[in-house]
Amino acid sequence: MSTSVMENRPRKSSYVERPGGGSLADVVEVILDKGMVIDAFVRVSLVGIELLTIDARIVIASVDTYLRFAEATNRLDLYEHGGRDLPSLMSGMAEDGAKDSTKGAVDGMKEGVKDAVTSDEEEEEEA
Amino acid sequence: MTAGLYVYGIVTPDAEAPEGLVGVHDRPLELIVVDDLALLVSELDSEAMGEGELGEPEDLLAHTTVLDAVAAGEPVLPLAFGTVALDDDDALRVLQGPGAANFSAELERLRGVLQYTLLVRFDRDVILREILDEQPEALRLRERIAGTGEMETRNERIRLGELVVDAMAHKRSGEAASMVEQLEPVVTDLSERDLRQPDDVLDVAVLVRHDAVDDFDAAVDRIAEARHERMTFRLLGPQAPYDFVEAR
């Protein structure tokens, strides 16, 4: 990439995460429905992923989602900004190591897709 | 032992891959050239193929790593993950068929541009606090379900969840439009993707000219600085133009 190294090079904001190619979770989203499909070829299928493709595309507005967001709201710590109280810390660690106390409650669908291809250590939670 | 050819995408015959770049199963990349087009391929290892399927996380990463690395320097039309040909002759069928006449033109359109993908989500805790602050009914329902199990307060939970999801949808729409408006001047193409979670705000792929990358980065930084208290920002790229090839 030809950019000047000195002076006017813009400083990258710390508010934007720039992981380059992205984590495995980001890659899964690309894999699911991008790129040209050539009819003449039977694509080698990714075990389990194609079944999840259809569900993963829909913004879920279902009872399951409502229950998850209700629980996230239930667990929300109203008194600290960014803080977590002990009970939510414990439940967060018990589930999937989610950094954010509310994430465990609502990431069910997306985690289902990621889980098909990742182990917990490879998963990269968003900031 | 070869188990066929993995086909990553279509490039021009003079395309070069970065030194040392390997593909699926750690195999070297090769070009199959036909007239003014070429296929970017690598041999599949039959032992590594297992059940005859590509399912390991490394396979997914190899696909995008190869395409992203090549796209940084060359126009490339990415194929969908998992496109496998029996041999060289079989692979050539990619370049035949009805859509193939446009490949050359599409490659030229993608010369000199890079894809980036911007993923914007609400900071979940911040937005939930906003909603509880704005909607007394939400606060009341939250108090109602506190300390209860899902079965006990199922109806209240559904009502609260619906209220929260609707509120997020309402907050999202104006936000996405204003961000897109700020991106348009610094990109050559833009493709909004379907949102997946209620707290997604914007999921957008863009094409950026090589010589406009700094301006684009600065625009994304400005967008994030103005909104970072309520949203998180993740910028992927440079990438191959996954969102800008016509599905066939």
Side-chain angles (χ1 to χ4, degrees):
Chain A
M1 215 76 77
S2 58
T3 54
S4 70
V5 177
M6 319 260 235
E7 341 101 34
N8 298 327
R9 180 126 222 264
R11 192 182 68 82
K12 297 276 197 293
S13 165
S14 61
Y15 298 128
V16 182
E17 205 182 321
R18 288 175 162 89
S23 65
L24 188 56
D26 298 312
V27 165
V28 166
E29 299 209 15
V30 166
I31 296 291
L32 281 181
D33 60 1
K34 302 292 178 210
M36 295 194 296
V37 177
I38 307 293
D39 278 341
F41 287 90
V42 174
R43 281 174 55 214
V44 175
S45 66
L46 182 60
V47 179
I49 285 292
E50 292 192 6
L51 295 173
L52 295 167
T53 301
I54 294 164
D55 287 341
R57 282 189 232 218
I58 302 167
V59 175
I60 311 287
S62 67
V63 167
D64 184 59
T65 303
Y66 297 153
L67 289 171
R68 289 174 192 278
F69 272 91
E71 184 56 18
T73 309
N74 188 20
R75 289 203 227 164
L76 183 65
D77 182 353
L78 283 184
Y79 300 108
E80 284 183 50
H81 276 272
R84 293 176 66 190
D85 52 89
L86 193 57
S88 64
L89 252 174
M90 299 305 281
S91 61
M93 280 167 63
E95 284 191 7
D96 56 6
K99 285 190 233 160
D100 181 329
S101 67
T102 59
K103 276 196 183 336
V106 301
D107 275 335
M109 168 55 63
K110 202 164 182 188
E111 300 306 306
V113 175
K114 287 191 234 173
D115 284 347
V117 292
T118 69
S119 65
D120 280 353
E121 332 171 73
E122 288 175 301
E123 242 176 274
E124 189 184 332
E125 287 293 325
E126 294 166 44
Chain B
M1 268 281 286
T2 178
L5 292 175
Y6 191 91
V7 189
Y8 302 85
I10 299 166
V11 292
T12 55
D14 57 350
E16 284 175 18
E19 188 82 28
L21 181 67
V22 293
V24 175
H25 300 161
D26 288 332
R27 286 300 181 91
L29 299 172
E30 296 165 29
L31 282 190
I32 302 174
V33 179
V34 181
D35 298 330
D36 61 343
L37 293 171
L39 294 171
L40 184 65
V41 303
S42 64
E43 283 187 7
L44 287 166
D45 184 303
S46 59
E47 280 181 32
M49 258 312 246
E51 307 278 306
E53 286 168 327
L54 294 166
E56 300 299 319
E58 302 90 76
D59 301 331
L60 278 72
L61 287 172
H63 175 90
T64 54
T65 299
V66 165
L67 283 166
D68 291 349
V70 171
E74 311 278 349
V76 55
L77 307 179
L79 293 181
F81 173 80
T83 306
V84 172
L86 295 171
D87 52 32
D88 281 32
D89 287 335
D90 193 36
L92 294 182
R93 293 193 293 136
V94 171
L95 300 177
Q96 294 146 6
N102 296 328
F103 287 156
S104 290
E106 270 193 74
L107 278 168
E108 278 317 298
R109 267 204 350 258
L110 291 169
R111 188 176 290 281
V113 291
L114 300 164
Q115 172 167 328
Y116 288 83
T117 304
L118 180 63
L119 308 168
V120 187
R121 297 184 86 171
F122 279 126
D123 182 316
R124 199 169 287 155
D125 283 3
V126 169
I127 289 306
L128 289 178
R129 284 193 202 101
E130 261 181 39
I131 294 169
L132 289 170
D133 207 47
E134 293 160 2
Q135 304 204 30
E137 176 69 2
L139 198 57
R140 188 191 75 78
L141 287 165
R142 180 179 184 270
E143 281 158 19
R144 180 72 188 82
I145 71 176
T148 69
E150 192 181 290
M151 299 310 282
E152 286 176 71
T153 49
R154 188 176 166 81
N155 287 342
E156 288 89 340
R157 285 165 179 269
I158 291 171
R159 175 69 196 123
L160 174 58
E162 188 180 19
L163 199 154
V164 163
V165 168
D166 285 352
M168 285 181 174
H170 190 74
K171 287 173 184 289
R172 171 200 314 141
S173 57
E175 301 284 358
S178 92
M179 287 188 273
V180 165
E181 203 180 298
Q182 286 189 252
L183 290 172
E184 274 167 347
V186 288
V187 303
T188 63
D189 208 345
L190 188 150
S191 171
E192 282 189 62
R193 294 151 70 151
D194 291 341
L195 299 178
R196 295 172 189 270
Q197 295 283 337
D199 46 359
D200 285 345
V201 180
L202 179 65
D203 190 342
V204 63
V206 297
L207 288 179
V208 182
R209 293 198 50 80
H210 275 108
D211 57 14
V213 168
D214 281 351
D215 288 344
F216 168 72
D217 268 330
V220 174
D221 285 347
R222 280 194 299 274
I223 289 169
E225 277 165 27
R227 295 164 178 79
H228 72 274
E229 285 169 2
R230 300 171 74 223
M231 298 177 200
T232 62
F233 293 82
R234 194 174 165 81
L235 182 65
L236 307 181
Q239 301 173 290
Y242 305 107
D243 291 66
F244 297 97
V245 288
E246 294 164 27
R248 281 165 169 79

